[in-house]
Amino acid sequence: MFDLPKAELHVHIEGTLEPEMVFEFASRNDVALPYSSVDELRSRYEFTDLQSFLDIYYANMAVLCTRQDFHEMAAAYLRASARQGVRHAEIFFDPQAHTKRGVEMGAIIDGLSGALEEARNDGITGELILCFLRDDSAESAMGTLRQAEPYLDRIIGVGLDSAEVGHPPSKFTDVFAKARELGLRAVAHAGEEGPPEYVAEALDLLEVDRIDHGIRALDDAELVERLRREQVPLTVCPLSNVRLGSFSRLSEHTLPRLLDEGLLVTLNSDDPAYFGGYVADNYSAVRDELGISIEQLRQLAANSFHASFLDSDHRRELLTEVDAWQA
Ligand code: ADE
Ligand code: ZN
């Protein structure tokens, strides 16, 4: 699965912060940690639901202070992803989690985009997607978009993440309208823990190009029919769904049903430093645990390029490589 060319469309760059990096950055930035070792930190990575993960995910971000930290974190992710066969990555970042601690928007974006520039030399292209935290206010989201305006040439789109239930897409209608007016693409997490209605709202009110997760869409047959008819891409993250308790084990994941329904599914890692695998590990896991066939895996890789924001020439080139791939 490592040599199958693929795009990764659902990865939170802060979710690639490996425990070793947490300690390294804490030490150089003089940030005190409530753990005495990497092993102790890793032993806390037992989650019951999304919120139990988010608590430690945001706590660890305290070590991200400088442009260099953001640069090194993204460079490490891109190196790991190149080894996983990733040829193109569309990467989420959560600026509010940093600006509220006094980190400048410019330091975040310079750090991340600098790493993306360098990775081009290694045959991997990338884009940044600025995510709004849905458990923060709509006003805070609008203020964040304003702060990002000087850097829009380095941002391809906006997204919506963090604690889903109780924070429907409708809360962010205005800021997504503004983002689209500014020429940005749009995606949103919906139907991860939240109901199918949130998926419909993301499509109708936020006018998103893709749905992140979307697994709970299967609870609503009419919505499934719409997702199939409109070929709305879903960025599914199997290892994440198991670690956050949507499925008790991978063999119970509904990926086979999503594929049987004819939906435009892609495979992704979400927060690989926390969930036990990068993107190719997700491909291998669904092959081993769900019996996903080689031709289905090839289709999932092709879908990742179809669902991406790549220009059509580059997309065609990468799709040819997927066709030529031999398992
Ligand atoms: N932020 C990082 N990972 C997330 C996830 N799986 N769902 C929502 N917000 C997130
Ligand atoms: Zn996510």
Side-chain angles (χ1 to χ4, degrees):
M1 287 306 101
F2 287 77
D3 56 355
L4 173 61
K6 56 184 77 66
E8 175 145 64
L9 306 178
H10 183 158
V11 59
H12 303 262
I13 199 63
E14 297 89 346
T16 72
L17 186 64
E18 293 284 351
E20 290 79 4
M21 268 188 273
V22 172
F23 273 82
E24 186 188 336
F25 295 179
S27 159
R28 73 178 180 214
N29 292 327
D30 224 3
V31 174
L33 291 174
Y35 325 101
S36 55
S37 69
V38 163
D39 286 345
E40 189 191 342
L41 172 54
R42 203 173 258 120
S43 75
R44 306 287 174 94
Y45 291 179
E46 293 290 339
F47 313 113
T48 51
D49 56 13
L50 175 57
Q51 190 60 56
S52 66
F53 155 69
L54 291 172
D55 291 343
I56 199 157
Y57 167 79
Y58 291 123
N60 281 343
M61 286 184 207
V63 307
L64 293 168
C65 304
T66 64
R67 176 201 312 213
Q68 184 190 355
D69 299 335
F70 287 92
H71 188 123
E72 288 181 15
M73 174 172 60
Y77 162 72
L78 290 160
R79 275 194 305 275
S81 295
R83 290 193 293 272
Q84 299 253 326
V86 174
R87 305 293 304 277
H88 177 72
E90 298 182 0
I91 300 173
F92 299 143
F93 69 111
D94 286 333
Q96 287 156 294
H98 313 302
T99 54
K100 68 175 70 157
R101 299 181 287 109
V103 181
E104 296 285 341
M105 182 70 83
I108 303 166
I109 294 176
D110 283 347
L112 298 177
S113 60
L116 288 178
E117 263 316 299
E118 288 169 10
R120 282 181 174 275
N121 302 325
D122 305 324
I124 176 164
T125 54
E127 300 286 356
L128 294 175
I129 297 178
L130 182 159
C131 286
F132 304 115
L133 302 184
R134 66 201 307 156
D135 44 355
D136 279 2
S137 68
E139 292 71 29
S140 170
M142 194 62 95
T144 300
L145 182 58
R146 249 185 233 114
Q147 273 179 296
E149 276 191 51
Y151 310 100
L152 290 188
D153 58 330
R154 286 182 274 166
I155 294 172
I156 198 156
V158 293
L160 186 64
D161 64 4
S162 202
E164 185 181 8
V165 175
H167 301 285
S170 53
K171 182 173 158 187
F172 298 95
T173 303
D174 290 348
V175 70
F176 271 68
K178 175 79 186 158
R180 284 186 287 95
E181 224 176 85
L182 291 168
L184 295 169
R185 314 298 291 260
V187 300
H189 283 55
E192 179 184 19
E193 285 188 343
E197 290 75 25
Y198 286 16
V199 175
E201 270 191 20
L203 294 169
D204 293 333
L205 303 180
L206 307 187
E207 299 184 30
V208 295
D209 300 293
R210 301 194 289 253
I211 294 288
D212 296 314
H213 294 294
I215 49 175
R216 290 210 45 209
L218 286 175
D219 298 348
D220 179 339
E222 270 181 36
L223 178 62
V224 171
E225 172 55 31
R226 174 182 185 185
L227 296 174
R228 172 176 42 242
R229 193 175 56 245
E230 297 179 11
Q231 286 293 289
V232 176
L234 304 182
T235 62
V236 175
C237 308
L239 291 175
S240 163
N241 296 152
V242 173
R243 293 296 294 270
L244 300 187
S246 289
F247 302 100
S248 54
R249 55 182 66 80
L250 192 55
S251 58
E252 287 173 13
H253 198 285
T254 49
L255 174 69
R257 258 186 76 201
L258 294 167
L259 291 170
D260 287 349
E261 293 283 2
L263 304 187
L264 188 69
V265 179
T266 68
L267 290 185
N268 307 273
S269 70
D270 208 4
D271 300 285
Y274 293 88
F275 300 150
Y278 284 71
V279 64
D281 304 313
N282 277 266
Y283 279 71
S284 302
V286 302
R287 177 197 59 197
D288 296 344
E289 302 290 326
L290 287 166
I292 298 297
S293 70
I294 291 295
E295 282 317 306
Q296 285 175 307
L297 293 162
R298 188 195 306 277
Q299 185 63 56
L300 286 160
N303 288 352
S304 72
F305 295 120
H306 284 297
S308 74
F309 300 138
L310 281 168
D311 68 62
S312 49
D313 285 350
H314 193 180
R315 172 185 292 127
R316 202 171 316 112
E317 211 175 283
L318 289 164
L319 283 168
T320 307
E321 292 188 32
V322 173
D323 277 345
W325 174 75
Q326 310 247 329

